[in-house]
Amino acid sequence: MEGRSFGSPWTRLLLATWRALSRAACAMDAESLLLSLELASGSGQGLSPDRRASLLTSLMLVKRDYRFDRVLFWGRILGLVADYYIAQGVSEDQLAPRKTLYSLNCMEWSLLPPATEEMEMQTSVVKGRFMGDPSHEYEHTELQKVNEGEKVFEEEVVVQIKEEKRLVSVIDQIDKAVAVIPRGALFKTPFGPINVNRTFEGLSLSEAKKLSSYFHFREPVELKNKTLLEKAELDPSLDFMDSLEHDIPKVPGDCGCGLLEQRGTPQMLLRGLARGAARGYLLGVCVLTRSCIQCIGNTLFCHTPSPVTPRPSVFWNE
Amino acid sequence: MGDPPPDPEPPSQPTSSRRSSQVSERRRTRPSVAPLVHEELQQIPLDPQILRGSREALSNQSNLHGWPQSTSLTPNENLVFQAEDSYVNPGFPAAVQRQAYLSEGRLQASQNASLMLQQLQQGEGNLFQELESAYQEPPADLGQFTMYQREDLPFSQGTEHGPYMTDDPTLQFSPSELGFMSFNMELPEPEPRELAVQNAKAYLLQTSINSDLSLYEHLVNLLTKILNQRPEDPLFLLESLNRTTQWEWFHPKLDTLRDDPEMQPTYEMAERQRALFSRSGGGEGEQEMEEEVAETAVPNIMEKAFYFEQAGVGLSSDESFRIFMALKQLVEQQPIHTCRFWGKILGLSRSYLVAEVEFREGEEEAEEEELEEMTEGGEAMEAHDEEEGDEDEDKVMDVIPKPTWKPPPVIPKEESRIGTNRYLYFVCNEPGRPWMRLPHVTPIQIVQARKIRKFFTGYLDAPVISYPPFPGNEANYLRAQIARISAATHISPLGFYQFGEEEGDEEEEGGAGRDSYEENPDFEGIPVLELVDSMANWVHHTQHILPQGRCTWVNPLQKTEEEEELGEEEEKADEGIEEVEQEVGPPLLTPLSEDAEIMHMAPWTARLSCTVSPQYSVAVVRSNLWPGAYAYASGKKFENIYIGWGHKYSPENFNPSLPAPIQHEYPSGPDTIEMSDPTVEEEQALKAAQEQALAAAEEEEEDEEEDEDEDQDD
């Protein structure tokens, strides 16, 4: 049981700490995977030791083969037959479109096509659970108007939708709805590209409790609609994304787009609930580590510069 | 400027001010500096405080006059500075930490930095002294920050004002050097290049109206920070460092005298959990002393957490251990016979950890009675109020009509230890917080809970606002959901449990079959591969809940004796119309393979925990109906757990049920319908009729009168 001793939380934390401290210039979030999974485990989702080990191995190769700046473990989507494990590759610009890969066994990764609006339209009619087979075809019957001469009559057409398409569009929707970063973790350079703020040291507790300290990790939508007066207080290099503050529905309501849970340890767990277009709720978990180890003997107080991204978030569809 | 720092020792104040004035005078007159210095050196007592104060004043003065500061350093002076640096260094790390490391707790790093700084000072003295000199101009109102600056002074003070080094305390120990120094004291006229430097510096030192911070100071701070921290790619970081440095200037750390309130909740939680660890530790020791190896009701959470970790679910191991300690605490506090970690229900602001317990025989009833008394008391009060209300109404005479609607018969709740109330449940929000007992569930709560979908808030007394209305608060809703989840998802390998022998006869009695089982001592365990391949190897070991909300069916129309006496007639009327069909659910220990499909979806998914090494893996079963419900089995061991939001899966979006159609308040009839106004013709006809009638009456009267008259006449 070698793996077991390695897997003890303390060792893992220490390892992750060490890694975080000795991080090279190009950070790879898959490196801090273990630590982040540990922190995200409060919601019951985790990875079994063999999955973890194979992820660490295979993501490293993915990074090399696809020449990514960073590889992020995105999460998994539970299927009836098999589960999808999703990873994303990031280029230099953090907000640039990412490449998404999936794997069923955590070792062989396949690239997914980028999501399009058309795809979203098509797949929005599909209901139910994922199967776990990308070639599975959902059948959907819809009424189409057919013109034959002057007569117009409706005809039932069976549309076949591949699960791969659905996977792509669901991942995209989840990203848009619940991918979240803390304020200050990324900054926008004057030339446009968005970089990781390596001096980011986490949010203070009072800040971490506010939803306004978190941003949707996507191209801003609401920001343009703000008045000049509202924009005046924003820091253009930090506040370049939509904050969670004005999300609908509000917390605490029947459901909230983002909600904070304060754990016993000084870490904030942000669970996102957002109403998806056609499928009830999308639930995501995102861990924002403020400090991964509180203290050991009062001296070691380490902070990871890694919590810049909402990764690894463990998502599951419901 | 012109703000000589308040000296800790008042007596030194006059000396320093006097001295500085003398110095400035001297400077104007310039000649014969050395002799004066000699005199003063003798006058000044060997008090470092005074020295510091005086030097500071001096430096301020010197800056005011814009004298070149580090232009004429001799090697000898450098030596002196080194000596002084080493003298000052003990205080150095602290000062630096307060400045640059305010937000970080890395002592290690700061020590490194201080080492670095020492080297730097020794090696590149000039550069650094130049940087440091900026610290010495205390901006007028920077409050906190100026204090720190003053603490920096001792080590940086003497280093840059070359010409005025005569006041350096070290000089007193080396009079031979003093002579040499004084020789050097003759200041040359500033050259044009130096003048340009001065002008540039003066420009950089400008402060705006908005802030007291000059660019010079900021740059110095920034560079200091970079040099202290030694980031890998300073140019890349410059932008953000620039910002954080500026931010730190204007957001000074709170005063050390005040408590930092930020981390309070964390401390509180740690304190609670510490109690958990220490107390249970002590208790354990005592128990061992007394009862040797006492069997405890606390389950081996860690082992189960390990298996669930293999399955890729469950909580982290340290959280599991905390839960273990919390369960231990629960077992100590309550008379608990068996105890099990049921799972975790996530809430919007807090989560619930749920423990499923069984009390020892006899213990439960006492508490139950108490609870019931309380509730009965409440009901009695209500009933009393109603009666009073009735009396009042009678007095008023205007009786409000009573509704004809009768509530559906209340289905009695199941006794404790039976059906849905087989176990007691305790919840707590976090290990270390107090455990709270959930009330028993009533059938109506289960029925209503099936119709609604709510997120839990994490507060047991929160109201459940929903349609259809839920009878009770969040504690009741939580209990109802727990009952539903348990009934649907608690499974065990086939053959682990068997029915007790003596209960064979009772099978025919109820439709639901036997309601208790016992562990099968001969159970050998089912191979993992078989468990994964066929769902027939798994059985439900919790009773199915009927649509009625109970596990055993009760005829809701069967009335108690009292009711029968009261309303015999009504009952007769009812009997003819309604005859409730008995609800039947699947019997206990039914295999999972007989579970109904939902929308062509298998209700369960079984996996091997590790496909790479099937021989050592465990069988994992996941419920697709209740996302978050898992079970594992390996050999004779199995366990169920639920970690989720407490929502049942539905392929369609959830729609709250529509409100019922509006009821008729009263039967419509001539009393309540508005009459149409009569037309003119009708009115005239009525008038005519009335007149006719009147005339007829008069005639009659007249006739009568006439008759009477006639009678009288008679």
Side-chain angles (χ1 to χ4, degrees), chain A residues 4 41-42 44 46 48 52 76 79-81 83 127-129 201 205-206 237 253-254 259 261-262 264 280 283, chain B residues 103-104 243 262 265 309-310 312-314 316 344 348 351 430 455 601 605 607 610 622 624 645 649 652-653:
Chain A
R4 188 67 195 141
S41 67
S48 58
R52 255 179 284 170
R76 84 176 151 197
L80 290 180
V81 182
D83 301 340
K127 288 170 189 165
R129 299 286 284 259
E201 289 160 357
L205 196 65
S206 56
S237 61
D254 203 358
L259 66 144
E261 180 187 281
Q262 194 198 330
L283 307 180
Chain B
S103 55
E104 311 178 9
R243 195 168 36 247
E262 272 200 342
E309 192 190 356
Q310 303 297 307
V313 283
S316 63
K344 182 178 182 182
L348 288 180
S351 304
E430 225 164 319
F455 277 111
M601 191 184 85
T605 299
R607 295 272 170 76
C610 178
R622 185 167 79 204
N624 294 326
W645 294 90
Y649 173 73
E652 305 289 330
N653 286 345

Side-chain angles (χ1 to χ4, degrees), chain A residues 83-135:
Chain A
D83 301 340
Y84 293 104
Y85 292 83
I86 317 288
Q88 284 183 330
V90 184
S91 58
E92 288 287 335
D93 186 358
Q94 301 296 318
L95 210 54
R98 283 174 251 164
K99 288 186 175 158
T100 310
L101 302 107
Y102 77 89
S103 169
L104 293 171
N105 56 6
C106 287
M107 282 313 289
E108 288 133 36
W109 295 88
S110 325
L111 198 63
L112 285 170
T116 58
E117 282 187 18
E118 185 200 351
M119 220 181 248
E120 195 173 317
M121 285 286 289
Q122 281 178 353
T123 54
S124 62
V125 292
V126 182
K127 288 170 189 165
R129 299 286 284 259
F130 277 86
M131 282 298 160
D133 172 16
S135 58

Side-chain angles (χ1 to χ4, degrees), chain A residues 36-73:
Chain A
S36 311
L37 278 176
E38 181 88 18
L39 292 167
S41 67
S43 11
Q45 298 287 321
L47 291 177
S48 58
D50 60 315
R51 294 290 188 210
R52 255 179 284 170
S54 46
L55 270 183
L56 285 179
T57 311
S58 62
L59 286 183
M60 193 72 84
L61 296 177
V62 164
K63 187 190 168 198
R64 185 196 65 184
D65 295 344
Y66 288 88
R67 295 170 187 275
F68 291 133
D69 182 42
R70 295 194 300 158
V71 176
L72 312 170
F73 178 61

Side-chain angles (χ1 to χ4, degrees), chain A residues 27 71 152 226 248:
Chain A
V71 176
V152 178
K226 284 199 167 183
I248 299 168

Side-chain angles (χ1 to χ4, degrees), chain B residues 47-259:
Chain B
D47 190 346
Q49 295 284 357
I50 295 169
L51 280 172
R52 189 197 305 177
S54 66
R55 262 187 292 128
E56 204 165 287
L58 185 64
S59 74
N60 288 337
Q61 294 267 348
S62 72
N63 276 333
L64 265 179
H65 290 272
W67 287 102
Q69 296 191 341
S70 55
T71 47
S72 60
L73 281 171
T74 65
N76 275 337
E77 277 170 348
N78 266 335
L79 275 177
V80 171
F81 305 149
Q82 278 179 24
E84 184 180 291
D85 282 342
S86 62
Y87 164 69
V88 171
N89 260 333
F92 178 69
V96 166
Q97 224 176 356
R98 243 172 286 170
Q99 260 181 25
Y101 287 85
L102 291 183
S103 55
E104 311 178 9
R106 274 194 298 183
L107 196 62
Q108 191 73 39
S110 74
Q111 277 168 356
N112 286 338
S114 73
L115 269 175
M116 262 163 42
L117 217 60
Q118 279 178 35
Q119 289 168 3
L120 189 81
Q121 282 182 332
Q122 284 159 14
E124 313 161 287
N126 283 338
L127 166 68
F128 199 73
Q129 287 143 18
E130 182 70 25
L131 291 181
E132 288 292 335
S133 72
Y135 276 145
Q136 293 159 18
E137 285 103 40
D141 293 312
L142 264 179
Q144 203 67 44
F145 204 84
T146 51
M147 270 179 61
Y148 300 142
Q149 282 187 334
R150 265 161 225 152
E151 287 176 23
D152 293 336
L153 291 177
F155 69 88
S156 58
Q157 186 63 52
T159 53
E160 68 272 303
H161 306 293
Y164 309 107
M165 280 318 297
T166 48
D167 293 336
D168 197 303
T170 49
L171 292 186
Q172 296 176 9
F173 306 111
S174 57
S176 63
E177 277 176 357
L178 194 65
F180 181 66
M181 293 277 298
S182 65
F183 180 71
N184 222 9
M185 277 299 129
E186 295 295 334
L187 267 180
E189 280 294 324
E191 289 168 20
R193 198 174 148 198
E194 281 171 10
L195 206 63
V197 169
Q198 282 169 35
N199 285 339
K201 192 182 169 189
Y203 167 72
L204 290 179
L205 277 168
Q206 276 179 345
T207 54
S208 71
I209 309 163
N210 295 332
S211 74
D212 298 316
L213 180 63
S214 70
L215 178 62
Y216 187 85
E217 286 165 90
H218 176 67
L219 284 177
V220 166
N221 268 343
L222 187 65
L223 288 178
T224 316
K225 189 165 180 158
I226 291 177
L227 290 174
N228 284 347
Q229 296 186 349
R230 291 284 170 121
E232 275 171 30
D233 193 357
L235 181 63
F236 174 71
L237 284 174
L238 192 64
E239 190 82 8
S240 52
L241 264 177
N242 188 13
R243 195 168 36 247
T244 48
T245 320
Q246 221 165 5
W247 188 86
E248 275 167 18
W249 266 85
F250 297 109
H251 294 79
K253 194 74 177 166
L254 285 174
D255 193 78
T256 41
L257 289 177
R258 209 183 306 164
D259 267 344

